[in-house]
């Protein structure tokens, strides 16, 4: 099975890369949205899946990346690449400035603190003239969906390769040690504060790049959409559904749930949100460790796997 994994991944990657050649405009646009969500899920996977800190603030990085591109292109008349760099700098600076105090919190305290960050940042940006205040910014249009699609795919590949590196590096082992037992990691000599802040910044880089691509693609930016709290929920759900702390789980979760959401929205628009919520609740109850864990254990335990999860996580 493991021997077939790499060839299968390569086949899927080639098929995705060639989508602009055979796909419709709708498929390409759906692909851009899905790939960017997968990037966000992989970014959250670094801090939430491998480090064990359930951040609800990654949409701040997304918004900073979007505004980095918007400010650079609209206010300073600079190229898109410079805007992407500026957005990453903003995200990394934010991660270091606020990561140190916020990452001292644990569990639900950390989750609540990071959830508030998006609202605070939206309020701040709404009063900054350079960022267009509440009105927002209108970016110069570039009607080239294949370009944005390929950019999104390349970014997802880079994020996944980074996760792959984490699984084989001393830094990644340190993050896993923090997730499993932070006090034990300290005893083992892991500089937990530095590791957590670096993981927070690394997650921020990919979220900021995704935000920059999305801002240039839709050509409009305002505080409410850039720092959308629901985006945090989406990336977390997709990562958890696929399997947090795994290489491909967040990608699989993003693709499956994006497809379900799109299908329900087109077929039963009025209750699409309800059906989508039910799917998530059932998935969390039956397989709280994601699809990756199901694939590892179902063949050995069968249907008892789901029964055991219901007993352990019953409400």
């Amino acid at each position: 099975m493991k021997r077939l994994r790499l060839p299968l991944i390569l086949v899927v990657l080639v098929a995705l890369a060639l989508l602009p050649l055979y796909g419709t405009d709708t498929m390409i646009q759906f692909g851009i949205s899905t790939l960017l969500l997968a990037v966000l899920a992989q970014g959250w996977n670094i801090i939430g899946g491998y480090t064990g800190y359930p951040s609800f603030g990654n949409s701040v990085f997304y918004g900073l990346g979007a505004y980095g591109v918007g400010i650079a292109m609209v206010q300073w008349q600079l190229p898109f690449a410079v805007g992407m760099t500026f957005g990453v700098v903003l995200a990394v600076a934010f991660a270091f400035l606020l990561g140190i105090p916020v990452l001292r919190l644990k569990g639900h305290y950390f989750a609540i603190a990071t959830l508030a960050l998006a609202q605070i940042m939206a309020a701040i940006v709404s009063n900054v003239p350079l960022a267009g205040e509440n009105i927002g910014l209108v970016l110069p249009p570039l009607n080239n969906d294949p370009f944005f699609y390929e950019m999104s795919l390349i970014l997802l590949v880079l994020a996944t390769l980074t996760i792959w590196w984490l699984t084989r590096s001393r830094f990644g082992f340190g993050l896993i040690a923090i997730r499993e037992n932070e006090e034990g990691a300290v005893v083992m000599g892991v500089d937990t504060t530095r590791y957590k802040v670096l993981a927070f910044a690394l997650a921020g880089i990919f979220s900021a790049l995704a935000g920059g691509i999305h801002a240039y693609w839709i050509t409009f930016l305002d505080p409410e959409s850039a720092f959308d709290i629901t985006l945090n929920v989406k990336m977390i759900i997709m990562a958890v559904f696929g399997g947090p702390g795994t290489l491909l789980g967040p990608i699989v979760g993003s693709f499956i749930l994006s497809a379900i959401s799109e299908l329900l929205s087109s077929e039963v628009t009025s209750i699409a949100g309800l059906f989508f919520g039910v799917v998530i609740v059932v998935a969390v109850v039956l397989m709280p460790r994601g699809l990756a864990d199901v694939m590892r254990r179902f063949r050995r335990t069968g249907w008892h796997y789901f029964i055991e999860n219901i007993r352990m996580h019953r409400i």
Side-chain angles (χ1 to χ4, degrees):
M1 187 68 178
K2 292 184 178 180
R3 294 180 180 178
L4 297 176
R5 185 177 301 173
L6 181 58
L8 180 61
I9 292 174
L10 292 176
V11 169
V12 172
L13 184 59
V14 170
L16 289 174
L18 297 178
L19 178 64
L21 298 179
Y22 61 83
T24 63
D25 291 342
T26 303
M27 288 178 62
I28 295 173
Q29 291 168 4
F30 171 73
I32 296 171
S33 299
T34 302
L35 290 172
L36 291 178
L37 281 173
V39 172
L40 292 175
Q42 283 286 49
W44 184 89
N45 195 27
I46 296 172
I47 186 68
Y50 281 91
T51 314
Y53 274 70
S55 171
F56 280 83
N58 280 28
S59 65
V60 173
F61 300 127
Y62 175 89
L64 290 173
Y67 268 99
V69 169
I71 292 172
M73 296 186 70
V74 176
Q75 308 288 34
W76 298 336
Q77 308 299 312
L78 294 174
F80 172 60
V82 176
M84 291 282 277
T85 303
F86 181 47
V88 168
V89 170
L90 289 175
V92 171
F94 179 87
F96 277 93
L97 287 174
L98 289 182
I100 294 176
V102 171
L103 286 166
R104 294 181 184 276
L105 303 173
K106 296 181 181 180
H108 57 278
Y109 297 107
F110 172 78
I112 293 172
T114 53
L115 182 62
L117 292 178
Q119 293 178 310
I120 294 171
M121 188 57 64
I124 293 173
V125 171
S126 298
N127 293 281
V128 176
L130 185 65
E133 298 181 317
N134 281 321
I135 299 174
L137 299 171
V138 179
L139 283 71
L142 178 63
N143 297 319
N144 190 348
D145 284 348
F147 167 76
F148 293 111
Y149 177 88
E150 298 297 349
M151 284 280 293
S152 303
L153 181 59
I154 291 171
L155 182 57
L156 178 58
V157 171
L158 290 176
T160 305
L161 289 175
T162 301
I163 297 291
W164 177 82
W165 168 75
L166 282 179
T167 62
R168 289 160 173 77
S169 67
R170 181 175 181 177
F171 176 62
F173 292 146
L175 296 183
I176 295 173
I178 292 172
R179 180 190 68 192
E180 297 300 325
N181 189 329
E182 188 166 345
E183 289 75 16
V186 173
V187 174
M188 293 169 57
V190 177
D191 187 345
T192 56
T193 300
R194 181 167 65 91
Y195 273 51
K196 289 186 293 184
V197 172
L198 288 175
F200 201 44
L202 188 58
I205 290 173
F206 291 112
S207 300
L209 291 172
I213 293 173
H214 191 260
Y216 194 21
W217 177 43
I218 63 174
T219 70
F220 177 73
L221 192 59
D222 70 320
E224 185 177 352
S225 61
F227 300 101
D228 185 5
I229 295 178
T230 61
L231 195 60
N232 289 311
V233 179
K234 286 183 180 179
M235 67 178 82
I236 293 173
I237 286 174
M238 290 174 173
V240 172
F241 181 86
T246 62
L247 178 63
L248 299 177
I251 299 177
V252 174
S254 300
F255 283 22
I256 291 176
L257 294 184
S258 293
I260 293 174
S261 179
E262 183 69 17
L263 178 63
L264 293 177
S265 297
S266 60
E267 296 295 334
V268 282
T269 308
S270 59
I271 52 175
L274 175 61
F275 272 123
F276 189 65
V278 170
V279 169
I280 301 305
V281 171
V282 171
V284 169
V285 172
L286 293 179
M287 47 182 197
R289 288 173 291 277
L291 287 173
D293 189 62
V294 174
M295 295 176 66
R296 283 196 301 265
R297 298 178 54 193
F298 183 78
R299 185 175 297 179
R300 184 175 67 253
T301 62
W303 295 103
H304 291 287
Y305 172 84
F306 299 111
I307 296 173
E308 179 182 337
N309 283 330
I310 292 173
R311 289 174 177 172
M312 290 179 61
H313 303 280
R314 63 182 182 271
I315 299 176

